[in-house]
Amino acid sequence: QVQLAESGGGLVQPGGSLRLSCAASGRIFGPNNMAWYRQAPGKQRELVATITSGGFTTYVDSVKGRFTISRDNAKNTVYLQMNNLKPEDTAVYYCLTTSGDRNNYWGQGTQVTVSS
């Protein structure tokens, strides 16, 4: 069973920074893509950033220039560096990994709150 362990969430002031981490364990077959999603109360879940097994990245427009997704393949870990945080970034953040078994695996979510 693949499990994703998330960490790094918390409460920060506007303009502050956080780094989220998500470490995958278990049997992941073949190259995997990873992503971060977020969901604010009353809103749909939103794709924030993706990174392929080869390191190609994409971002939703609202975080471009502020967030950076990266990965450490040796550790099966994906990171989300979040700078210049805004109140509208407040959400539960979920990591995801694809797998060669054709399943997607989700983390349990970590709360990010940006407030003064």
Side-chain angles (χ1 to χ4, degrees):
Q1 182 180 1
V2 175
Q3 294 185 341
L4 302 178
E6 302 181 12
S7 63
L11 191 156
V12 295
Q13 302 278 123
S17 297
L18 284 173
R19 189 180 77 156
L20 306 182
S21 299
C22 176
S25 62
R27 289 177 61 82
I28 300 176
F29 297 88
N32 63 312
N33 302 326
M34 304 187 82
W36 288 97
Y37 288 75
R38 66 186 180 187
Q39 188 165 27
K43 301 187 70 175
Q44 66 182 353
R45 189 167 297 186
E46 174 187 38
L47 178 61
V48 177
T50 67
I51 185 165
T52 70
S53 60
F56 294 98
T57 60
T58 69
Y59 301 91
V60 67
D61 285 345
S62 60
V63 309
K64 286 180 179 177
R66 300 189 298 119
F67 290 11
T68 302
I69 188 171
S70 62
R71 65 189 294 162
D72 184 335
N73 289 333
K75 299 179 180 179
N76 285 320
T77 299
V78 63
Y79 305 93
L80 187 67
Q81 178 67 47
M82 305 184 293
N83 298 325
N84 192 24
L85 282 160
K86 304 176 183 295
E88 52 262 45
D89 296 318
T90 296
V92 177
Y93 284 70
Y94 300 88
C95 63
L96 174 146
T97 185
T98 67
S99 174
D101 64 6
R102 299 168 303 283
N103 292 318
N104 295 329
Y105 297 92
W106 291 88
Q108 290 297 114
T110 185
Q111 177 71 49
V112 171
T113 302
V114 185
S115 177
S116 60

